């Protein structure tokens, strides 16, 4: 297919496609990936590649836990007998999910999460099928929602989008049984994640989920759920090339953020004033901001507040690095931000295709020997040809 034809089908400029083809421009914006995949009639995974497992155990070992997680998701059901004959006490399982699993999820420690999650899902289904009473069944379902959302996040980060969506839909099934609009909102955050090819549909679903939940928000515990759905809508709008709507939803998120403590550790999904500022960076990178514009947005984030949430911190640092990398004048700063992101959560960093694309382009553009060596070392850890 000629670049002229591809440009016409994708809505991307011929010059951009030419530079991307030669490795001089990063194909790291969700909207660009979706448009190009649609024009070429391939999936996004086909275009950017599935998981590339290199010799680095930090990058490769998390993927060994995907298979048992897939088995747990495929063999458990709300309409069949449990797959295990006995389970640990429900309070113990709930404490495990809220404690150790949640702690390592926040750190993007997929290896530790992967060791616990499949058995946890199996045993929670046992309690759902044979509850001691109604309160026990609700606790089992509520904990299962969080477990399935954790599974969805892990699968998405490790580039298994089909498994991620399956886990998110299982979380939604559990909330239907709970008949709780707040729990349904939590599941919607996983179901309607901005990672699909049809961005306009994702945007509509995200906006609808936020609007549907708003009348049911009663207290400060509910507010973060609405806030995270609103941020989802902002990112989906940005990926749909609707910058006005993206700004609208970011501003909408600022209001509920003022109603809760600025505490990433205590609030659901770390929703807070600081998290809204982080998402402004993420949305800014998605709509194409670069260099100084991203540096200015980053100034609104107090990094000290991220120390208790390494997952949010590594994503913030990586997004700033990716945005800075688009401007050659900020290349040195970009590599420093990216290196700090890798140090914060290496399993997450070394499995992110957007980061890998940024590093590959920076490697191609590198002209200074010292820079080239740094890029090659980072590229090796990401499994990028160098």
């Amino acid at each position: 297919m000629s670049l002229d034809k591809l440009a016409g089908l994708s809505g991307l400029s011929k010059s951009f496609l030419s530079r991307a083809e030669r490795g001089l421009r990063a194909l790291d914006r969700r909207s660009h990936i979706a448009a190009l995949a649609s024009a070429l009639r391939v999936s996004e995974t086909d275009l950017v590649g599935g998981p590339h497992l290199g010799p680095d155990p930090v990058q490769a070992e998390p993927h060994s836990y995907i298979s048992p997680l897939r088995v747990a998701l495929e063999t458990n059901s709300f309409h069949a007998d449990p797959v295990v004959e006995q389970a640990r006490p429900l309070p113990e399982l709930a404490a495990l999910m809220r404690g150790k699993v949640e702690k390592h999820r926040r750190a993007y420690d997929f290896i530790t999460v992967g060791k616990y999650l499949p058995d946890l899902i199996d045993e929670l289904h046992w309690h759902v099928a044979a509850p001691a009473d109604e309160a026990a069944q609700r606790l089992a379902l509520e904990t299962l929602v969080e477990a399935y959302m954790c599974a969805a996040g892990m699968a998405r980060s490790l580039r298994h989008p089909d498994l991620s969506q399956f886990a998110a839909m299982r979380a939604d099934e559990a909330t239907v049984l709970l008949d709780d609009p707040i729990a349904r909102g939590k599941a919607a955050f996983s179901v309607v994640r901005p990672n699909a090819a049809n961005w306009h549909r994702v945007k509509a679903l995200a906006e609808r989920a936020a609007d549907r939940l708003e009348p049911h928000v009663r207290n400060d515990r509910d507010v973060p759920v609405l806030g995270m759905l609103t941020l989802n809508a902002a990112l989906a709008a940005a990926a749909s090339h609707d910058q006005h709507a993206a700004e609208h939803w970011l501003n909408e998120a600022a209001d509920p953020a003022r109603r809760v403590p600025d505490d990433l550790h205590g609030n659901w999904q770390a929703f807070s004033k600081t998290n809204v500022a982080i998402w402004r960076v993420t949305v800014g990178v998605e709509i194409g901001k670069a260099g100084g514009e991203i540096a200015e947005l980053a100034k609104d984030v107090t990094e000290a507040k991220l120390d208790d949430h390494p997952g949010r911190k590594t994503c913030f640092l990586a997004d700033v690095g990716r945005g800075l990398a688009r401007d050659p004048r900020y290349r040195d700063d970009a590599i420093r931000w990216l290196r700090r992101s890798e140090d914060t959560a290496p399993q997450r960093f070394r499995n992110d295709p957007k980061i890998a694309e940024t590093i590959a382009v920076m490697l191609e553009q590198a002209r200074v020997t010292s820079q080239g060596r740094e890029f090659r070392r980072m590229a090796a850890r990401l499994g990028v040809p160098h």
Side-chain angles (χ1 to χ4, degrees):
M1 186 183 292
S2 70
L3 286 181
D4 284 323
K5 184 174 181 180
L6 185 57
L9 290 173
S10 67
L12 302 173
S13 71
K14 182 179 176 181
S15 62
F16 170 84
L17 291 170
S18 175
R19 288 175 63 80
E21 188 175 47
R22 289 179 288 137
L24 298 175
R25 282 291 300 270
L27 188 64
D28 67 341
R29 288 173 58 183
R30 296 166 177 83
S31 55
H32 289 172
I33 294 170
L36 194 53
S38 177
L40 295 172
R41 296 185 179 181
V42 298
S43 73
E44 294 179 30
T45 301
D46 291 332
L47 185 62
V48 301
H52 176 87
L53 306 186
D56 172 32
V58 174
Q59 187 265 342
E61 188 177 347
H63 295 270
S64 66
Y65 295 95
I66 288 294
S67 180
L69 184 59
R70 186 181 294 277
V71 170
L73 292 175
E74 291 178 346
T75 56
N76 281 293
S77 169
F78 293 106
H79 311 293
D81 293 334
V83 297
V84 293
E85 295 183 0
Q86 191 55 262
R88 285 166 286 180
L90 179 57
E92 181 181 336
L93 297 176
L96 176 62
M97 183 64 231
R98 291 193 304 266
K100 185 171 290 187
V101 174
E102 175 63 12
K103 174 185 175 182
H104 289 282
R105 181 197 70 80
R106 287 174 178 253
Y108 285 118
D109 179 357
F110 304 122
I111 294 172
T112 301
V113 169
K115 291 176 180 177
Y116 289 104
L117 204 51
D119 288 343
L120 188 58
I121 290 171
D122 285 346
E123 294 179 62
L124 286 170
H125 268 279
W126 186 91
H127 283 284
V128 170
D133 51 37
E134 184 177 347
Q137 186 174 48
R138 290 194 66 82
L139 177 59
L141 286 168
E142 289 166 354
T143 308
L144 199 51
V145 170
E146 298 292 344
Y148 274 134
M149 289 183 62
C150 182
M154 177 175 169
R156 182 171 55 249
S157 295
L158 294 178
R159 300 163 73 178
H160 296 271
D162 60 329
L163 188 63
S164 174
Q165 192 66 13
F166 186 27
M169 292 173 68
R170 281 297 175 88
D172 188 54
E173 290 177 17
T175 64
V176 171
L177 295 174
L178 278 169
D179 192 24
D180 178 356
I182 301 301
R184 194 78 190 273
K186 289 181 176 181
F189 177 70
S190 276
V191 172
V192 192
R193 291 294 286 171
N195 63 351
N198 191 331
W199 286 109
H200 296 290
R201 175 176 292 187
V202 172
K203 173 175 173 286
L205 291 172
E207 292 174 343
R208 195 180 308 153
D211 288 339
R212 184 175 61 237
L213 178 64
E214 188 169 16
H216 300 284
V217 174
R218 306 291 186 214
N219 52 53
D220 289 352
R221 290 178 56 192
D222 301 341
V223 168
V225 183
L226 176 63
M228 293 309 296
L229 286 176
T230 305
L231 291 175
N232 244 8
L235 185 54
S240 301
H241 301 287
D242 192 341
Q243 186 171 346
H244 177 75
E247 290 292 338
H248 164 74
W249 285 107
L250 283 171
N251 292 333
E252 285 289 304
D255 179 57
R258 286 189 287 266
R259 296 167 56 186
V260 297
D262 192 14
D263 177 11
L264 279 77
H265 183 72
N267 298 341
W268 186 78
Q269 291 294 321
F271 180 73
S272 58
K273 179 181 176 182
T274 294
N275 205 7
V276 173
I278 292 171
W279 278 65
R280 285 191 182 277
V281 173
T282 301
V283 170
V285 172
E286 177 55 38
I287 63 178
K289 292 184 178 182
E293 289 182 291
I294 294 299
E296 285 300 311
L297 288 174
K299 290 179 181 178
D300 292 332
V301 178
T302 304
E303 277 196 49
K305 291 183 175 291
L306 309 184
D307 290 341
D308 287 338
H309 204 302
R312 284 280 73 216
K313 185 173 183 177
T314 195
C315 292
F316 165 65
L317 296 172
D319 282 342
V320 175
R322 291 196 303 115
L324 294 176
R326 294 171 179 169
D327 187 334
R329 295 171 297 177
Y330 288 84
R331 189 174 288 124
D332 289 343
D333 291 332
I335 199 68
R336 284 193 289 270
W337 283 82
L338 290 169
R339 189 188 304 118
R340 291 173 60 210
S341 175
E342 183 179 20
D343 290 342
T344 302
Q347 293 179 43
R348 167 66 167 73
F349 182 92
R350 297 180 195 178
N351 281 287
D352 190 319
K354 298 186 295 297
I355 294 173
E357 174 75 1
T358 295
I359 295 297
V361 170
M362 293 175 76
L363 184 62
E364 187 69 23
Q365 294 173 337
R367 295 291 181 265
V368 180
T369 303
S370 61
Q371 283 186 332
R373 284 198 298 269
E374 179 65 32
F375 292 145
R376 284 191 290 273
R377 286 194 293 269
M378 192 172 284
R381 295 191 294 270
L382 283 152
V384 174
H386 60 286

